[in-house]
Amino acid sequence: MTANPLGLRFRRVHPAVLALGAITLVWVLTFSILVVKKQNGFWSVDFDMGIYDQAVWLLARGQSFITVRGLPAFGHHANFGLYLFAPASWLGAGPNFLNVTQVVVLGLGVVPIYLLGRYRMLSPWSAAALAAAFLLHPALQFFTAELFHPETIALTPLLMAYLCATKRSWRWFAFWAIFAVMWKEDVALAVAMLGIIIALRSKNSSGEKQISNRTVGLITFTASVGWIIFVSQILIPGVSGHSAHYGELYSGVGGSAGGMLSTLIHDPGNITSRLVSSETQHFGWQLLAPYGLTSLLAPIELLIGLPQFILDAISNYPWTRTITFRYAAIPLVAATLAMVEGVAFACRRAARVKNLRLVTSGVRFLPLAVLACAVLATFSWGPSPIGNSYQDGWWPLTENTRQEAQQGALDAVPDDATVSASYTLVPQLSGRSEIYSFPNPWKSQNWGVTGSKNRNPQRIDWLVIDRYITDAQGQKLLDSLIAKGKFKKVFDQDGMWVARRINP
């Protein structure tokens, strides 16, 4: 009697894989529900949910100028991966689709981690424990709470690229590396460092193989650096008419690659003080502690995240030096890969130790120790329902008593109207050609780069304002527009205020 092929295949699945799959499913469902509640509860804002949702909508329709940001799509960042969302946008998908997709992609990061652990000869349960520790890292959970950002989508492809490089599957490595870089230009920094690692790990057993690996590594490094230079020096300035806007993040240390080099030569203390500050040390601790510091056993892999970590450390703003925002995405990739390699290294070394069964037995429990550290970290720092940060304002945990009024205000606005709206309402209205964050375009605020000229306010047909979050100057502007007879109020309920232009 022939056995059922499907049943036979199912029985061959190791219980560790089934357990990891169940944990991943619970993780994905939990954070998918949370991000949908956050978006539907009017907890998202213009920067950056409104920016990226409008960017997807525009690119799907052959347009490119992001009116939320005041920059063309590729004058903002080289987020070419956003084109992949175009079919979903044609079908009416919006912020919820982007946010849930991000959660799913992040959850799938367990696949390359598990496969890397198995390739390094760890047992199925050990590999599954390390993959589960990844899901429990507070940084990964905070990325979902921050809602959609392209660089976090690159996290799982980067893990896949490293796995393929380890197996010397160069075609698949090229695919995943390119796929990762297409989400944001600074991901190329990690790929460049990966190229260096590949080149350094050339095999000596075969001259031909040695040349092949070294060549792949050098090509990867050269192409990645070339892409960064092209995007920052040619693409973004050419499209936007200005130098790359994120230079403002580093104005305190030069504002550009050349300026940073000059600062390093003439005022090195300005940079070194930032690198060794208490904020930077705490940032590093929160990246490594959830993995029980095992990442330090594989310092080579930590190089993958070193450039981004340094940039985070020397920026002008403290939010780049915390695990709660997407700036930690690439350093988290490096810490995760180093964790797997570090545990595998310790296990290999322990296996070579003779007559020390205590050491060998202890190292066998190292993956479990890593998992225990991750559990402790997610309880102590994480924003998940079991974490201490769950009630710190990351999620809408109370009923929104104004949601009916907010939705009523949105329903009053035609789908094709040009709108200026309060920053919490922009992501709800971003699927259109022109949506501005009030008081734009009357008064420039978070618009373009320094010195950018705003657009003519005559373009605005509708105003959608939450008076509860509008400052005194904004209220004065609204009153002036009504007094001059330019807009007529059509909706006013529970602080939500909608007006349409009556004097074009």
Side-chain angles (χ1 to χ4, degrees), residues 245-261:
H245 66 90
Y246 41 78
E248 297 175 359
L249 283 172
Y250 309 102
S251 60
V253 290
S256 64
M260 291 179 194
L261 180 60

Side-chain angles (χ1 to χ4, degrees), residues 323-401:
I323 62 170
T324 56
F325 296 106
R326 73 271 184 191
Y327 300 99
I330 304 304
L332 177 62
V333 170
T336 302
L337 292 171
M339 175 266 293
V340 178
E341 295 286 14
V343 170
F345 168 77
C347 291
R348 289 195 304 269
R349 295 289 293 181
R352 297 174 186 173
V353 177
K354 297 180 180 180
N355 303 322
L356 287 176
R357 292 184 179 181
L358 182 62
V359 174
T360 304
S361 300
V363 171
R364 289 178 181 175
F365 289 99
L366 189 55
L368 184 60
V370 171
L371 181 59
C373 289
V375 171
L376 179 61
T378 207
F379 274 120
S380 302
W381 304 331
S384 74
I386 61 173
N388 283 338
S389 295
Y390 182 60
Q391 298 186 11
D392 288 350
W394 296 99
W395 309 108
L397 303 180
T398 58
E399 181 183 359
N400 181 4
T401 58

Side-chain angles (χ1 to χ4, degrees), residues 302-344:
L302 290 177
L303 291 176
I304 295 173
L306 182 61
Q308 186 63 54
F309 184 86
I310 292 175
L311 290 175
D312 292 344
I314 66 175
S315 83
N316 298 339
Y317 302 103
W319 59 76
T320 65
R321 295 179 289 277
T322 173
I323 62 170
T324 56
F325 296 106
R326 73 271 184 191
Y327 300 99
I330 304 304
L332 177 62
V333 170
T336 302
L337 292 171
M339 175 266 293
V340 178
E341 295 286 14
V343 170

